[in-house]
């Protein structure tokens, strides 16, 4: 960051920006009716946290996220991870249990738009601990942030960390290669439902803890190599994603 840049003035220069009620050194602005962007200066006055909301702005939730991020210096360490997840967050009426922070190279909020803010704004959003492994690469974090988590929806449900590969001899569906790819619980449950009656078929999935489970069907069910009379119930499968 250029030492001569006055960050507070840079924010105040944003067209339409206004003070954020109830939070010191904080502002909000709306580039169009669907979006509200809320910003708060960190305690040192050198970085800014920003919460984006699309069609779902809740002033109380945005204020709580910014205050929590400021208090815990979310994403402000010297070598932050692609997702910096701070557990312990809560807000009445919501199920979120963490705040997640992402760096400019991932969120890209001001890239090519505002040079003064481009490298100093840390994106933060209300999140769920079960959405992250803590070991995501920058590429994985970028994909999850942009395509799966929908962080600007302040009413969103959790999208648990889940990687899967599968092969189904009856439907012809399956993964390419041995790598497990990110997916969602509904896809996992659907592929498990399609296993029965497909000899030699399997679904293999990994949760945020790095635990891998393999469920197969070959005239009977197997779970991690052990025979079972019935397929695992959906509730049992979803429990393994916590």
């Amino acid at each position: 960051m250029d030492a001569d840049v006055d960050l507070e003035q840079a924010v105040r220069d944003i067209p339409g920006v206004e003070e954020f009620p109830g939070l010191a050194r904080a502002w909000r602005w709306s580039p169009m009716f669907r979006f509200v962007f809320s910003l708060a200066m960190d305690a040192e006055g050198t970085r800014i946290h920003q919460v984006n909301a699309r069609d779902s702005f809740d002033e109380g939730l945005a204020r709580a996220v910014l205050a929590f991020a400021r208090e815990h210096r979310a994403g402000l360490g010297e070598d932050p991870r692609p997702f910096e997840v701070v557990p312990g967050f809560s807000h009445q009426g919501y199920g979120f249990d963490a705040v997640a922070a992402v760096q400019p190279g991932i969120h890209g909020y001001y890239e090519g738009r505002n040079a003064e803010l481009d490298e100093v704004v840390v994106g933060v959003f209300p999140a769920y601990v079960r959405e992250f492994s803590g070991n995501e690469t920058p590429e994985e974090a970028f994909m999850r942030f942009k395509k799966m988590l929908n962080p600007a929806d302040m009413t969103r449900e959790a999208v648990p960390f889940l990687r899967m590969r599968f092969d189904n001899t009856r439907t012809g569906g399956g993964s390419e290669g041995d790598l497990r790819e990110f997916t969602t619980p509904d896809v996992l449950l659907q592929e498990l439902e399609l296993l029965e009656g497909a000899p030699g078929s399997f679904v293999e999935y990994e949760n945020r803890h790095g635990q891998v489970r393999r469920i197969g069907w070959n005239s009977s069910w197997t779970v991690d190599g052990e025979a079972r009379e019935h397929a695992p119930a959906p509730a049992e499968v979803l429990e393994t994603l916590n």
Side-chain angles (χ1 to χ4, degrees):
M1 181 186 72
D2 188 334
D4 295 329
V5 173
D6 183 336
L7 287 187
E8 185 167 338
Q9 189 59 51
V11 173
R12 292 183 181 278
D13 287 342
I14 297 173
V17 75
E18 61 183 17
E19 302 284 339
F20 194 106
L23 193 62
R25 301 183 77 189
W27 306 267
R28 67 185 179 194
W29 62 290
S30 177
M32 60 180 292
F33 73 94
R34 297 184 61 196
F35 295 89
V36 178
F37 302 154
S38 305
L39 308 90
M41 192 79 68
D42 72 340
E44 293 78 18
T46 58
R47 303 291 296 277
I48 296 170
H49 288 117
Q50 177 167 323
V51 177
N52 286 5
R54 181 187 63 250
D55 298 329
S56 57
F57 178 67
D58 181 320
E59 180 180 300
L61 178 58
R63 182 187 298 109
V65 171
L66 290 173
F68 187 89
R70 176 187 282 169
E71 178 184 357
H72 294 274
R73 303 191 75 255
L76 301 183
E78 292 184 4
D79 188 23
R81 294 178 176 179
F83 281 128
E84 193 78 15
V85 183
V86 184
F89 175 79
S90 64
H91 189 70
Q92 186 174 4
Y94 294 87
F96 300 115
D97 60 7
V99 165
V102 292
Q103 299 301 308
I106 293 174
H107 65 67
Y109 290 162
Y110 293 96
E111 184 177 4
R113 299 180 181 89
N114 188 318
E116 292 179 318
L117 299 179
D118 184 31
E119 291 300 320
V120 299
V121 171
V122 174
V124 290
F125 60 98
Y128 303 86
V129 170
R130 61 186 179 276
E131 295 179 311
F132 311 95
S133 73
N135 297 313
E136 292 88 351
T137 65
E139 293 76 17
E140 289 172 339
F142 182 88
M143 187 278 290
R144 291 273 287 164
F145 182 78
K146 295 291 186 180
K147 297 182 179 181
M148 295 190 74
L149 294 179
N150 199 14
D153 180 0
M154 302 186 86
T155 66
R156 70 188 186 87
E157 299 295 326
V159 183
F161 181 99
L162 169 62
R163 288 198 280 218
M164 180 184 81
R165 73 183 185 101
F166 72 102
D167 184 66
N168 191 300
T169 60
R170 178 164 55 87
T171 67
S175 308
E176 294 185 7
D178 296 329
L179 294 178
R180 291 181 288 272
E181 302 290 345
F182 283 109
T183 189
T184 53
D186 59 324
V187 174
L188 170 62
L189 294 178
Q190 180 183 28
E191 291 304 328
L192 288 173
E193 186 177 337
L194 293 171
L195 281 183
E196 189 167 10
S201 299
F202 72 90
V203 170
E204 181 183 275
Y205 68 95
E206 175 186 355
N207 65 14
R208 70 185 179 94
H209 304 289
Q211 298 166 335
V212 178
R213 202 181 202 203
R214 184 182 175 104
I215 302 171
W217 198 92
N218 195 4
S219 76
S220 63
W221 291 96
T222 60
V223 177
D224 295 332
E226 296 184 2
R228 277 212 188 180
E229 185 176 350
H230 302 289
E236 176 188 344
V237 173
L238 294 177
E239 181 66 24
T240 65
L241 302 181
N242 288 334

